[in-house]
Amino acid sequence: IKECDWSSDVCSSDLFTSLDAIRQRGESVMTSAHLTCPTPKGMTKVQGYLLAVYNLYNKLDALCTLIKKAENAKDVFSALKLIHAVGGFIAYEVYCDLCYTKSIPFTTNDFVNVGPGAIEGIRLIYPSTKGADNILKRIYQIWEEQDKHFENIDVKFKYYNKYEPVKNRLSLRTVEHSLCEFSKYWLQKNGLGKKRMVFAPGLHNSIVSETGDGMINNPDEWKPLPKRR
């Protein structure tokens, strides 16, 4: 897929003008979820995201053709990474979405992309494990031995896997994501890592303290969410 050239039309569009006006008023244009899009030098975050959308729109047909021709799950993952500003994390999330919607003939057990959080989770459980290949082997090991581990700690796990490929078992995706969440919890419990958002019904701007001991209460910064019509 050839990288699509972008022009000043992206930044002079009515959409950008509207979004930039919101930003300049000091209001949030987007949420804090997955703000992973790299912004080219000299561009605002809004411009960077519009560039990514513009680029995807212009290569969508070629991308779909690549995905349809994919011989294995990793080929789909590699094709998704050809999208401008999409790295391994987002490509894997999209891959899993395609699996759940049965848009591709693969499942979340056919491929797993090991992110940095899951790597830290493996290292917390198996400190001597080094190298990408060995870390991946550990994830497969946990997946294969999951029933034994649940039995050892006397846990009758209530699997919710309506969209997963294997009944009554965690998928490779679930294991990888759980390792990532485990590492976050461990860091917070030990006063490490970055602040984490806390959901408060009807409110936002609530954050966890750096030590993870509790919520920083600053009512002056809380804003009621708009009522649904």
Side-chain angles (χ1 to χ4, degrees):
I1 296 178
K2 294 183 179 180
E3 189 69 18
C4 180
D5 293 332
W6 74 285
S7 68
S8 58
D9 292 342
V10 175
C11 299
S12 62
S13 65
D14 290 339
L15 177 58
F16 170 71
T17 301
S18 299
L19 294 176
D20 196 54
I22 295 173
R23 181 185 66 84
Q24 292 190 30
R25 289 200 301 267
E27 300 176 27
S28 297
V29 176
M30 55 194 77
T31 70
S32 60
H34 304 327
L35 290 181
T36 58
C37 180
T39 303
K41 187 175 181 180
M43 298 181 69
T44 65
K45 182 68 75 174
V46 174
Q47 289 173 324
Y49 270 86
L50 286 180
L51 170 60
V53 172
Y54 175 86
N55 184 268
L56 174 59
Y57 177 80
N58 283 279
K59 64 169 62 169
L60 191 57
D61 289 341
L63 180 67
C64 289
T65 299
L66 274 182
I67 292 175
K68 287 180 179 179
K69 292 181 177 180
E71 296 182 356
N72 53 60
K74 193 170 183 180
D75 285 347
V76 176
F77 174 73
S78 298
L80 291 168
K81 288 202 296 181
L82 295 174
I83 301 172
H84 174 76
V86 170
F89 175 80
I90 295 298
Y92 184 51
E93 295 301 298
V94 175
Y95 165 80
C96 291
D97 289 340
L98 293 175
C99 290
Y100 291 143
T101 57
K102 300 188 184 301
S103 299
I104 54 177
F106 306 110
T107 74
T108 50
N109 266 347
D110 291 326
F111 173 77
V112 60
N113 178 62
V114 187
I119 291 174
E120 290 304 314
I122 286 292
R123 288 175 176 168
L124 288 170
I125 301 172
Y126 304 104
S128 62
T129 303
K130 297 180 180 180
D133 290 341
N134 290 326
I135 289 172
L136 184 61
K137 288 179 181 178
R138 286 295 192 187
I139 289 181
Y140 273 90
Q141 177 185 341
I142 293 174
W143 175 70
E144 291 171 352
E145 297 177 349
Q146 59 181 279
D147 295 328
K148 180 182 71 176
H149 293 311
F150 283 126
E151 185 178 345
N152 287 341
I153 60 176
D154 196 27
V155 169
K156 294 185 182 298
F157 191 83
K158 295 182 179 180
Y159 298 87
Y160 178 76
N161 57 355
K162 179 179 179 181
Y163 300 103
E164 297 292 353
V166 182
K167 292 183 178 180
N168 297 326
R169 300 203 85 213
L170 301 178
S171 67
L172 282 173
R173 169 193 164 88
T174 309
V175 171
E176 192 273 342
H177 278 44
S178 297
L179 285 166
C180 180
E181 296 306 310
F182 164 62
S183 68
K184 293 177 187 176
Y185 292 138
W186 187 92
L187 288 169
Q188 287 293 298
K189 184 176 181 180
N190 289 275
L192 303 170
K194 65 180 181 180
K195 300 173 183 178
R196 298 289 171 184
M197 299 295 293
V198 170
F199 172 73
L203 301 170
H204 62 79
N205 294 339
S206 302
I207 58 174
V208 170
S209 63
E210 290 185 350
T211 61
D213 295 331
M215 190 164 64
I216 297 176
N217 297 313
N218 190 351
D220 292 335
E221 294 184 359
W222 287 354
K223 300 175 184 178
L225 292 176
K227 293 182 179 180
R228 292 185 178 180
R229 294 183 180 181

